[in-house]
Amino acid sequence: MKAMLRNSVLGVALAVTSFVTLPAEAAAPMPVPMVDRTDVDLVRHRGYCSSREALRRAWRLGFHRARVERVTHSRVVVVGWRRGFLSRVVFANAYGCPRIG
């Protein structure tokens, strides 16, 4: 019982002293970073799947040395190497590049 009481008191004392010794910068709100809105990665074109975004999605799927083979009004075809084999993935030409094949 004494050990549990002693550990509780020590824990509370440690918690109180850690809050007291915090610097003023830690208590202040974090500044919002300035974002350049002309950055290509931040601009998402509504309504279609860009070639750059299709390549980025293919890279996330594990494709290496990927290239855009064909772009039509309804789909974007990307070809590249995956697990040692030449593979192809098809994305819909819509916002977010949903995978269709």
Side-chain angles (χ1 to χ4, degrees):
M1 183 69 180
K2 286 183 182 180
M4 187 174 74
L5 183 62
R6 181 188 57 192
N7 288 340
S8 299
V9 170
L10 286 175
V12 170
L14 182 63
V16 169
T17 57
S18 65
F19 285 121
V20 171
T21 59
L22 281 177
E25 294 85 19
M30 295 294 293
V32 177
M34 294 300 293
V35 178
D36 184 17
R37 291 296 175 188
T38 60
D39 189 9
V40 177
D41 291 334
L42 294 177
V43 176
R44 292 207 174 221
H45 302 285
R46 303 286 179 187
Y48 70 93
C49 175
S50 68
S51 299
R52 186 174 188 161
E53 191 171 355
L55 289 173
R56 190 178 299 128
R57 295 272 325 262
W59 180 78
R60 284 190 214 134
L61 289 171
F63 281 77
H64 298 280
R65 296 189 323 206
R67 70 181 196 285
V68 176
E69 184 179 61
R70 182 179 304 132
V71 178
T72 66
H73 70 281
S74 60
R75 62 186 177 166
V76 179
V77 181
V78 177
V79 176
W81 293 91
R82 186 171 184 228
R83 297 182 181 172
F85 296 99
L86 190 61
S87 300
R88 176 170 60 181
V89 64
V90 181
F91 298 108
N93 198 354
Y95 175 69
C97 294
R99 183 176 173 188
I100 58 175

